[in-house]
Amino acid sequence: MRDQPRELLTAVDALLAAVDDGSVLPAPNERVRLREAAGLTQAAVAQALGARVPSVQAWEAGRAEPTAERLEAYRRLLEGLARRYPAPAAPPAGKDPARTQPVPSESAPEAAVTATGHTAPPVPAPARTSAPAPAAAAPVVVSRPARTARPTSSTSRRAVAQRAAPAGIPAGGGDPRFENGPLAVIDVDADGHAYAYCVGGLVLDVPAKSLPSLVDWTLTQARLGAPRLSGPGKDADPLLVLTGAALERYGLPVALTEEERLAGRLPEGHKVVKQLARAQWKLTKRGFGPWARIYRPATGSERACVQLCIPSWNALDTRHWGEAGQLPPAELARVLGVYASRVMTPRGSTAVTGLELMTALHPPTRASAADADGRRTSERNPGSLGKDPVDCAPCEAPDGHPLLKDLPRFHVRGPGEKLFEEAYDWARPMTDAECTLRHLVGIDVNMAFAAGANGLPVGLGEPTHVKAPLFDPKLPGSWLVDLSHVDLSTVKVGKERVDLDGSLLPSPFTPKGGRPEGPAWYATPTVAYAQELGYEVRPLEAWVRYDNGRYLDGWYQRLRDAYLATMADLGVDTDLAPQDFLAAMDGHRERDPELAIVVSAVKATVKGGLGKLRERPRGEGWRPGEPWRALSRPTWRPDIRAAVIARTRINLHRKIVKHAAFTGQYPVAVLSDCVVYAADGPSPLDFLPYREGKPLPGGFKLGINPGLVKWEGTQSVLWGEEVRERFNAPELNLARYIKDGTVTDADNGE
């Protein structure tokens, strides 16, 4: 207690010194006035100062002050704004300041929010005799928390949004119908005011008090959505993401019960579902779940549909979206906005969106040319899968498919009855020479399955069965052929035949890497590779598709561009030298964790979209031999999935063979798109054969483009041997654990 007076005097002296050197900031309400007078959002200020929006909110509320470099920068900003926007003169004594305020515009809300976040009484407006504003009036644009000074014109909205937009995110498209972006995150503050956080830092007031009125507001005033990706396609419906506070406001549970979670939806008797029905809104067959679609039947070309995303109901799977569901509203809007602008507005899980992207780029129908009377009809869009599903070939059908209902109940189909094109899961014991090396280095192929889809001809129509066909490497299909005679000890690499140690290589024809034992069904890329290795192929029969095309090219290109653009934002460009690329990849996720989430979602969109091409039954009382819901889609195409996986596996094997022929090095393990080699050093550059900065043509090349490789992880050879010995598994697939070296008993069935 004796030191307290001295501490107080010291604090007072420090405060006086701050006043003397001019470092004291204006009062919180003056900070707000200056920012709003300039039409700046809190997001724009935060971006300029390298701070977060909540920090700016705290500075303006007086709860905190900036420190160090940000203090000087923030003071300079406020001083500059004060010179441009001096404080208005105080009103004469005895005059009511409220009477000098301008009358609010018709688009202003009934109550403004003060600098402390509390609702202030509305300013009375004089009586009006004109008609009320139309329902489609522009929404009020605010910067969160909302203030009394708001830019309300279209020009102001676009300018503010553009200034607030983080790097790489458009504030709004060129289409005036969707000027506020594709989506909004709906949140409610402590005082009960609802806001829509849009792309680019834009925030809108939300007047809706019920879910039906929220849907109406979205379609008539919010100006949300996105233009179609293809001429004959449809515009993207607006997406609303509801936070926990928004769920409470609109009468929805913050979390589903166990029964609701298993059902994937709210019960039909829920009060909000009844509200929607009374307002003549409909739900799709999947009901009111984490990705609910609320619509009215289309009239002509006009659509009335809004999609909801509810993160607290696990709409954003943490395996693909990380912690996105836990982000504050503005940050979540940024993450989903980047994904929507570069891929498409999410339509469900990343798998659902990946499949929907295929359809959006190749709509099933288009308008025909006008007839003599000027009328147009709907016709199949060339290059699409059409609007009607087609049956797969029997060999392409998964177990339980209706085509197989006549098989004996416990019959197990072998390779001669079933097409089994899957990704690699192969490993082998290390040689004595490899055990003398120090490191196991894993490399991973970027966007491997997307690269496998690029330029791949796939069937667009029904399969045709042929007996003893001549093999055509350009004809998509499934072929019954014996490839057991292909010997990897002697293969063609380019135009030359080379000798290899075939025992150290996985077979390119089976996912487990074992040599085939007789006739089996393969997709076209697998059989074509046998020819490429210099061996003759004679199919016994085939199911081929004469109607074919490069259906997935546009899909690949859009996902590739999304991936590369986001990685460039993270500091990883396509033209980096090998050493610079490895350095850029080191810690790239920490540079902007939100954009790192987008990268993860883009990659999941690739794999999930391809997986959806052969979606299996999902409960619903299904029994083997009966059809399931996915079979009614024209995009249920197991043959396309098989062709992409086959080509991806073959692309990887081709690089492995090229590398072995040039260096004499063989992989220790392969898992999907990851390959592990034993090496003297811990870096990929310690075994990849770069010469004067140039990679082996046709081999592994470091880089961020799809099909090139990045470093996956490094462990010691001793680690690998110890793990295999611990589990008594000489062929344990070390590629599964190479990233961080963690192996648990659960991973090996213990």
Side-chain angles (χ1 to χ4, degrees):
M1 296 297 293
R2 288 179 299 176
D3 295 334
Q4 187 176 15
R6 181 175 297 176
E7 292 176 358
L8 293 177
L9 292 174
T10 302
V12 169
D13 290 341
L15 186 60
L16 290 173
V19 172
D20 291 339
D21 64 19
S23 61
V24 174
L25 297 174
N29 59 347
E30 177 65 4
R31 304 172 196 177
V32 175
R33 185 194 70 79
L34 291 171
R35 177 179 58 76
E36 292 184 338
L40 296 174
T41 65
Q42 291 173 327
V45 174
Q47 183 181 0
L49 299 179
R52 300 178 69 246
V53 172
S55 298
V56 178
Q57 293 174 352
W59 301 342
E60 293 187 349
R63 299 191 304 270
E65 297 292 325
T67 58
E69 297 87 354
R70 288 195 181 92
L71 173 61
E72 178 63 24
Y74 190 42
R75 184 173 64 82
R76 182 174 180 177
L77 170 66
L78 295 175
E79 288 178 350
L81 294 178
R83 289 192 297 270
R84 293 168 173 80
Y85 306 100
K95 191 170 183 179
D96 184 1
R99 297 183 182 275
T100 66
Q101 294 182 359
V103 175
S105 66
E106 292 184 11
S107 61
E110 294 181 354
V113 182
T114 67
T116 58
H118 297 291
T119 303
V123 179
R128 302 179 186 271
T129 57
S130 59
V140 176
V141 179
V142 300
S143 58
R144 180 75 160 83
R147 309 292 178 191
T148 55
R150 297 178 174 89
T152 56
S153 69
S154 298
T155 302
S156 299
R157 272 193 299 274
R158 284 192 291 271
V160 172
Q162 193 62 47
R163 285 194 296 269
I169 310 174
D175 194 323
R177 297 173 301 160
F178 313 125
E179 67 173 316
N180 292 331
L183 56 88
V185 180
I186 309 298
D187 192 31
V188 180
D189 65 13
D191 296 319
H193 297 287
Y195 300 94
Y197 290 77
C198 305
V199 172
L202 196 65
V203 185
L204 309 178
D205 276 327
V206 180
K209 304 293 186 181
S210 68
L211 193 61
S213 62
L214 177 64
V215 175
D216 283 323
W217 173 83
T218 303
L219 294 172
T220 59
Q221 299 184 45
R223 294 178 182 171
L224 295 172
R228 66 197 66 182
L229 296 179
S230 176
K234 300 175 182 177
D235 296 329
D237 299 319
L239 172 65
L240 299 181
V241 185
L242 303 184
T243 66
L247 292 173
E248 293 178 348
R249 176 187 179 95
Y250 296 116
L252 294 165
V254 175
L256 297 176
T257 66
E258 183 65 16
E259 183 179 355
E260 292 166 347
R261 187 187 64 80
L262 293 175
R265 64 179 73 190
L266 292 178
E268 294 184 3
H270 192 278
K271 62 179 182 179
V272 174
V273 177
K274 291 182 177 180
Q275 281 180 2
L276 292 169
R278 284 196 298 269
Q280 298 183 333
W281 290 105
K282 296 180 179 294
L283 294 165
T284 56
K285 290 182 179 179
R286 60 183 172 183
F288 204 121
W291 289 94
R293 296 188 69 80
I294 303 171
Y295 73 99
R296 286 187 180 130
T299 56
S301 61
E302 294 296 324
R303 289 172 56 83
C305 183
V306 172
Q307 177 151 327
L308 303 183
C309 168
I310 306 178
S312 65
W313 295 5
N314 198 35
L316 301 176
D317 192 326
T318 55
R319 293 172 299 174
H320 311 139
W321 289 101
E323 300 303 317
Q326 307 300 320
L327 291 174
E331 284 84 345
L332 179 55
R334 181 193 181 212
V335 168
L336 294 177
V338 173
Y339 181 89
S341 65
R342 293 177 176 174
V343 180
M344 69 179 298
T345 305
R347 297 287 302 273
S349 66
T350 50
V352 169
T353 304
L355 196 68
E356 292 285 345
L357 180 61
M358 297 179 195
T359 303
L361 294 169
H362 287 285
T365 59
R366 68 175 184 181
S368 67
D371 60 16
D373 298 326
R375 291 175 297 188
R376 299 178 184 271
T377 58
S378 177
E379 65 178 15
R380 179 182 172 184
N381 184 29
S384 76
L385 298 181
K387 64 178 182 179
D388 299 317
V390 298
D391 284 335
C392 61
C395 63
E396 298 162 351
D399 294 338
H401 191 279
L403 288 175
L404 310 175
K405 63 182 179 181
D406 294 331
L407 288 178
R409 183 176 179 183
F410 297 106
H411 178 73
V412 177
R413 293 188 295 162
E417 300 173 275
K418 179 181 180 180
L419 178 69
F420 191 67
E421 295 282 15
E422 298 294 340
Y424 267 130
D425 185 357
W426 170 87
R428 62 169 176 81
M430 283 185 275
T431 65
D432 292 342
E434 288 167 339
C435 288
T436 64
L437 302 177
R438 298 179 60 189
H439 301 281
L440 294 173
V441 184
I443 53 176
D444 179 82
V445 181
N446 298 313
M447 299 275 282
F449 293 96
N454 183 33
L456 176 66
V458 299
L460 301 179
E462 296 181 351
T464 300
H465 186 240
V466 290
K467 287 283 191 179
L470 291 176
F471 176 68
D472 183 351
K474 297 181 180 180
L475 184 60
S478 299
W479 309 79
L480 181 63
V481 58
D482 188 352
L483 299 179
S484 60
H485 62 290
V486 177
D487 185 1
L488 296 180
S489 298
T490 305
V491 297
K492 282 183 64 177
V493 178
K495 295 182 179 180
E496 298 181 359
R497 186 168 289 275
V498 298
D499 294 329
L500 302 172
D501 188 342
S503 65
L504 301 180
L505 287 170
S507 167
F509 310 127
T510 62
K512 291 294 184 179
R515 188 167 179 169
E517 298 178 353
W521 286 98
Y522 302 101
T524 298
T526 303
V527 185
Y529 186 57
Q531 277 191 334
E532 180 184 326
L533 292 175
Y535 290 87
E536 183 181 16
V537 295
R538 294 182 179 179
L540 304 175
E541 59 178 300
W543 291 88
V544 297
R545 289 172 169 83
Y546 296 109
D547 178 12
N548 59 73
R550 291 166 57 159
Y551 175 73
L552 295 173
D553 275 12
W555 183 80
Y556 159 77
Q557 290 160 10
R558 187 159 181 88
L559 290 166
R560 174 204 62 194
D561 292 348
Y563 175 69
L564 293 180
T566 311
M567 289 301 295
D569 289 342
L570 290 170
V572 186
D573 295 311
T574 57
D575 56 353
L576 295 174
Q579 286 283 12
D580 295 334
F581 169 71
L582 292 174
M585 287 294 293
D586 186 20
H588 73 279
R589 299 184 66 87
E590 285 70 36
R591 291 177 202 137
D592 192 328
E594 293 170 12
L595 289 184
I597 292 174
V598 177
V599 172
S600 175
V602 170
K603 294 193 289 188
T605 302
V606 173
K607 291 186 177 181
L610 294 172
K612 276 282 184 180
L613 291 169
R614 199 193 66 166
E615 184 177 358
R616 303 302 305 275
R618 304 176 65 182
E620 302 175 348
W622 174 81
R623 295 182 179 180
E626 297 177 349
W628 57 92
R629 182 183 300 179
L631 299 186
S632 63
R633 296 193 320 246
T635 49
W636 192 84
R637 293 294 302 272
D639 57 298
I640 296 179
R641 172 188 176 274
V644 173
I645 292 176
R647 192 163 188 246
T648 302
R649 193 182 66 246
I650 294 308
N651 285 347
L652 183 59
H653 195 274
R654 185 181 292 113
K655 295 178 188 298
I656 290 172
V657 167
K658 193 86 170 182
H659 184 86
F662 189 81
T663 68
Q665 298 170 335
Y666 295 84
V668 172
V670 185
L671 181 68
S672 187
D673 48 10
C674 176
V675 187
V676 175
Y677 283 91
D680 277 323
S683 167
L685 290 175
D686 291 316
F687 71 92
L688 293 182
Y690 275 84
R691 297 293 183 271
E692 298 179 356
K694 295 182 180 181
L696 172 67
F700 295 110
K701 177 183 178 182
L702 289 168
I704 199 59
N705 279 299
L708 305 189
V709 300
K710 61 181 181 293
W711 176 62
E712 179 70 3
T714 298
Q715 305 297 329
S716 69
V717 169
L718 290 177
W719 164 86
E721 288 296 274
E722 187 275 330
V723 167
R724 286 178 164 177
E725 183 177 349
R726 185 188 351 151
F727 293 105
N728 192 26
E731 297 182 359
L732 180 71
N733 196 328
L734 299 175
R736 182 172 281 109
Y737 317 106
I738 196 70
K739 190 166 189 175
D740 61 11
T742 302
V743 186
T744 65
D745 291 342
D747 291 330
N748 295 279
E750 295 294 326

